Amino acid sequence: MVDSPGESHYCPNATKYLIYNIQNSTETSLNNFGTSLINADFCVGSVCIAFGGVLGKVSPVQVMFMTLFQVTLFAVNEYILLDKLHVIDAGGSMTIHTFGAYFGLTVAWILKRPKLNQNNKNEGSEYVSDIFAMIDLGCEFQMVIEHGRDPAGHKMLETDQSNANNKIRWQLRDQHLPVAFHQPLPDSSYICGNSLFLSTPSIRIHILAAAKERTFTDGGAGTLFLWMFWPSFNSAISHHGDAQHRAAINTYCSLAASVLTTVAISSVVNKKGKIDMVHIQNATLAGGVAVGTAAEMFLTPYGSLIVGFICGIVSTLGYVYLMPFLSSKLCLHDTCGIHNLHGMPGIIGGIVGAITAASATAKVYTEEGLIEMFGFTGEYASRTPSIQGGYQAAGIAVSLAFAFVGGTVVGLFLKLPFWGEPSDENCFDDVVYWEVPGEEEEDLDIAKHYVTHIPEQLREINGN
């Protein structure tokens, strides 16, 4: 039928088809955008892991260039593993943790400081920072107390001059307020619990304390939050449905097992049978790292428990024995212990993924499930589970190669003598690069003590 001039023709089926295509196109675009954001998040995670190896020993400029190079290397490594080798790595045990950890460790080794332990005593955690790293329980604030009173005139410290050694005792009135001191105490002074024993009654100290009530907004995110949200991290890019459910369940089981073994081993290796907060903050998460590659596979709950059990032991022992060994024998100073939390568990995760993939059968997955799980379609249609396991193992080697070679090149670049890195004496001190509230005149001099490698003659000219 031919439409007459001026007559409109309406086709409902065509309209529905057009609307369907628009909806499909929009949904696909949103899915692609969401996937890109998740991949960007994974990249940032790898950068943060690497930063943990050099934290406190490099300048902000060095961190910036290190990040720029690592993002590029991460993208290339991820492309080779996922697109060329066609490996499965949903939780990023190889692409995120293994690559990030050993890249950061290689840079840290190239920028090694042999006399750091002898020349610097700033490294270490405090009770308050440990608590806030563990869980977000209130806020942190800095209070200046002068002559025992806060800025509002409220009495914060009680005095008692009848102590041994003629020391004046200043004690916080609130015994439940944990305290850490922001600046060194005067000579011949010391701390005992919540009491200060000072050699002079005229004091002006900075107290960093944890408030009992939430009067400020706290940005702290600790181990407990990482533990809770790690299953969603490992399952973020898994196929919706069974694969995503398996990823979440396997991650929970592995994390739970690593918590139990971490607490047990931490107590066993301590001479007094006490538990080390560093182990609890880190090794309890090792199970989530190690199960990342095989998270969406049929690892089974008991398999996940075994992986978490092993990683809790390996990570804790790494902090106790391996970390001091690497520092003393190889001059490899690992500030945050990324080798124990991300490096070794990441390699274990890659191995577990290779074994799990190689042992996959149609009886467990079904023929359709096996093809969907490992993407045995198109140019990969001829692959078998055993061949896939070999490619999974090759993915570990590729990630390590990118980490070692890339880390060496970047480390040598950052070792050039014009980045303004801090001297050994001023490592792990924020005052070198940051405005710190309440800093004194002597702190301003410390801020100038960074390594410039400028010849002595030029320094004199600049000084004049």
Side-chain angles (χ1 to χ4, degrees):
M1 177 180 177
V2 180
D3 296 333
S4 59
E7 181 180 358
S8 62
H9 179 70
Y10 174 70
C11 180
N13 290 332
T15 304
K16 290 180 181 178
Y17 179 75
L18 178 63
I19 293 174
Y20 173 78
N21 280 340
I22 292 174
Q23 289 176 339
N24 256 3
S25 176
T26 304
E27 184 177 352
T28 302
S29 298
L30 289 175
N31 287 338
N32 291 337
F33 180 68
T35 303
S36 297
L37 284 178
I38 293 173
N39 288 333
D41 184 39
F42 287 170
C43 180
V44 171
S46 180
V47 170
C48 291
I49 291 169
F51 180 47
V54 298
L55 183 64
K57 301 172 292 184
V58 292
S59 68
V61 178
Q62 287 176 304
V63 172
M64 180 184 68
F65 279 102
M66 179 178 169
T67 301
L68 291 175
F69 284 114
Q70 187 181 353
V71 167
T72 303
L73 290 170
F74 174 88
V76 176
N77 180 58
E78 185 183 49
Y79 171 74
I80 292 175
L81 262 64
L82 303 185
D83 292 355
K84 294 302 180 181
L85 298 181
H86 195 62
V87 304
I88 304 299
D89 193 24
S93 293
M94 295 182 287
T95 55
I96 301 172
H97 300 284
T98 300
F99 168 73
Y102 288 103
F103 177 85
L105 289 171
T106 305
V107 173
W109 185 73
I110 296 295
L111 301 177
K112 58 187 175 184
R113 297 167 178 262
K115 297 182 179 180
L116 180 63
N117 292 332
Q118 292 85 357
N119 297 335
N120 188 285
K121 303 300 180 184
N122 294 329
E123 186 183 13
S125 61
E126 297 174 333
Y127 178 77
V128 173
S129 62
D130 276 337
I131 292 298
F132 279 92
M134 185 65 191
I135 178 175
D136 181 6
L137 276 180
C139 66
E140 291 188 42
F141 65 97
Q142 182 171 275
M143 180 186 299
V144 178
I145 297 180
E146 190 166 7
H147 299 289
R149 297 182 181 273
D150 65 7
H154 301 120
K155 194 170 185 180
M156 297 295 295
L157 301 171
E158 297 286 358
T159 63
D160 178 9
Q161 300 192 33
S162 60
N163 285 281
N165 303 324
N166 295 320
K167 291 287 188 299
I168 300 174
R169 182 185 185 210
W170 298 80
Q171 186 172 24
L172 280 173
R173 301 184 71 181
D174 187 349
Q175 296 298 313
H176 302 288
L177 188 66
V179 157
F181 296 91
H182 181 66
Q183 65 181 36
L185 294 175
D187 294 336
S188 304
S189 302
Y190 59 93
I191 305 169
C192 181
N194 277 21
S195 300
L196 295 75
F197 294 87
L198 304 178
S199 54
T200 172
S202 178
I203 63 170
R204 185 176 187 274
I205 60 173
H206 299 264
I207 294 183
L208 186 65
K212 293 175 65 178
E213 299 180 359
R214 297 186 59 86
T215 54
F216 299 86
T217 301
D218 186 7
T223 300
L224 184 58
F225 286 98
L226 288 173
W227 201 98
M228 288 191 300
F229 291 112
W230 211 290
S232 63
F233 181 88
N234 280 355
S235 62
I237 60 173
S238 300
H239 294 293
H240 291 261
D242 292 343
Q244 201 165 51
H245 296 161
R246 286 196 299 267
I249 292 171
N250 286 335
T251 305
Y252 267 125
C253 291
S254 185
L255 284 168
S258 64
V259 169
L260 296 177
T261 52
T262 296
V263 173
I265 299 300
S266 179
S267 177
V268 168
V269 298
N270 186 281
K271 294 181 180 179
K272 296 182 179 180
K274 295 183 178 181
I275 300 170
D276 193 324
M277 180 60 80
V278 173
H279 305 159
I280 303 305
Q281 290 169 347
N282 296 279
T284 53
L285 302 172
V289 174
V291 82
T293 297
E296 58 183 351
M297 303 180 194
F298 269 102
L299 184 59
T300 70
Y302 69 82
S304 303
L305 290 171
I306 293 173
V307 173
F309 182 89
I310 294 173
C311 284
I313 297 174
V314 170
S315 182
T316 305
L317 294 180
Y319 278 101
V320 177
Y321 300 111
L322 185 57
M323 192 171 172
F325 174 82
L326 294 176
S327 179
S328 60
K329 301 300 181 182
L330 300 181
C331 293
L332 176 55
H333 183 274
D334 181 5
T335 305
C336 297
I338 59 175
H339 187 225
N340 310 309
L341 175 55
H342 301 280
M344 292 188 293
I347 291 179
I348 292 173
I351 295 172
V352 170
I355 295 173
T356 308
S359 60
T361 61
K363 183 178 180 181
V364 175
Y365 288 86
T366 73
E367 289 291 346
E368 295 78 9
L370 195 64
I371 293 173
E372 182 181 0
M373 176 70 249
F374 296 102
F376 291 159
T377 58
E379 60 178 306
Y380 308 107
S382 60
R383 276 199 187 180
T384 62
S386 58
I387 294 176
Q388 180 65 31
Y391 277 100
Q392 293 285 147
I396 305 173
V398 173
S399 290
L400 288 174
F402 266 89
F404 291 138
V405 176
T408 301
V409 173
V410 174
L412 291 173
F413 178 72
L414 297 181
K415 203 171 184 179
L416 295 175
F418 45 72
W419 299 116
E421 70 272 21
S423 61
D424 287 354
E425 294 79 6
N426 294 308
C427 286
F428 316 112
D429 195 342
D430 290 338
V431 76
V432 179
Y433 299 109
W434 294 86
E435 288 286 346
V436 178
E439 63 183 2
E440 304 294 340
E441 282 298 322
E442 57 267 24
D443 295 331
L444 299 179
D445 293 332
I446 293 176
K448 301 175 184 177
H449 295 171
Y450 53 85
V451 180
T452 60
H453 303 283
I454 298 177
E456 209 55 52
Q457 296 85 351
L458 291 180
R459 290 188 188 180
E460 294 177 1
I461 294 174
N462 292 336
N464 294 332

